[in-house]
Amino acid sequence: YIESYFESNHLKCPELVSFTSGESLLAEKSEKDIVFLDIELTRMDGIRVAGILREKYPSIILVFISAYSEYYKAAFDVQPFQFLDKPVAADRLLLTLDQVLERVVNDTELLTFCQNRVYYSIKIGDIVYLESNKRMITAFCTSGTYEFYDKLEHLEEYLGTRQQRFVRIHRSFLVNTNHIRTISYTCVGMSNGVELMISRDKRS
């Protein structure tokens, strides 16, 4: 199905690798971008495998496959992109691939800025959150931390036209929802281990 999807859309098919167990998937060292993962596996279940993958690759796209809907609630802790019911219907898979490619395109778009007269470009999908202190913006990314002059309102508008997954939780914080790991009434926990306060007017 995946190979025929790329062929019919005149796209180069990415490298496809299949695994017969969660252990063999985790033992394979190359970076993983998109994983279609059964929940019911032989030894280590798919939700546990997904948790390890999410910890190692925060931006990974996880699509769960299962015949049992009772797993869905437990799976939300690892932030799946989509669920596919068994047996997998071709039209449902093709729609999911459309959505996956849209996400990949969004995540490879760049934010460009100038720091000390040097221009930098960082992947939007790598941004964990942006913090504003007066006119100084600090971008906390999976690749490091960057500082540059801008307004958070301007960045919120710019990112909003490119991908819809950044949320203003405070006048000082703009967070990438793909990197949120926990949410409480007063704060969010991010993938880099930082907890950020939610302002009272943003809680709704």
Side-chain angles (χ1 to χ4, degrees):
Y1 283 157
I2 293 173
E3 289 174 340
S4 64
Y5 170 87
F6 280 89
E7 184 178 339
S8 63
N9 285 281
H10 309 289
L11 298 170
K12 181 181 178 182
C13 188
E15 180 185 7
L16 301 177
V17 184
S18 61
F19 301 89
T20 57
S21 70
E23 290 83 0
S24 60
L25 168 62
L26 295 172
E28 209 275 329
K29 299 299 183 184
S30 65
E31 185 169 352
K32 297 153 188 69
D33 301 308
I34 305 163
V35 174
F36 289 84
L37 186 62
D38 202 331
I39 292 181
E40 285 208 320
L41 301 174
T42 50
R43 292 175 59 191
M44 186 184 296
D45 69 72
I47 295 174
R48 185 178 170 198
V49 172
I52 296 171
L53 289 172
R54 176 66 72 198
E55 190 73 27
K56 193 171 184 181
Y57 311 108
S59 299
I60 195 171
I61 296 174
L62 296 168
V63 179
F64 277 122
I65 302 168
S66 179
Y68 303 98
S69 59
E70 61 264 28
Y71 289 119
Y72 288 4
K73 186 175 181 180
F76 273 106
D77 288 340
V78 293
Q79 297 186 307
F81 181 81
Q82 189 56 273
F83 288 95
L84 295 176
D85 292 319
K86 283 183 177 180
V88 177
D91 57 344
R92 186 77 174 110
L93 176 60
L94 298 181
L95 176 60
T96 299
L97 287 170
D98 283 339
Q99 296 167 340
V100 165
L101 285 189
E102 183 180 357
R103 162 74 72 84
V104 169
V105 169
N106 283 339
D107 283 352
T108 54
E109 283 192 312
L110 301 175
L111 175 67
T112 302
F113 57 89
C114 183
Q115 181 184 47
N116 297 327
R117 299 185 180 180
V118 177
Y119 282 90
Y120 295 85
S121 292
I122 54 177
K123 288 183 180 180
I124 289 175
D126 288 343
I127 300 171
V128 179
Y129 68 96
L130 299 169
E131 181 176 359
S132 172
N133 184 6
K134 298 181 180 178
R135 285 209 62 210
M136 177 65 73
I137 299 293
T138 305
F140 295 87
C141 307
T142 57
S143 56
T145 303
Y146 307 89
E147 291 186 332
F148 55 96
Y149 288 102
D150 207 329
K151 291 183 177 180
L152 203 57
E153 289 78 9
H154 168 249
L155 293 170
E156 183 178 14
E157 181 180 356
Y158 175 83
L159 293 168
T161 63
R162 281 153 180 81
Q163 56 178 30
Q164 304 301 317
R165 296 187 303 278
F166 279 80
V167 175
R168 188 78 171 266
I169 64 165
H170 188 280
R171 66 179 182 180
S172 299
F173 302 126
L174 183 64
V175 303
N176 185 342
T177 60
N178 288 335
H179 288 276
I180 292 176
R181 295 294 174 265
T182 61
I183 302 175
S184 69
Y185 185 65
T186 58
C187 64
V188 295
M190 307 304 295
S191 62
N192 61 356
V194 174
E195 286 196 343
L196 302 174
M197 182 183 297
I198 304 172
S199 63
R200 186 171 299 175
D201 62 318
K202 300 293 186 183
R203 287 173 185 167
S204 60

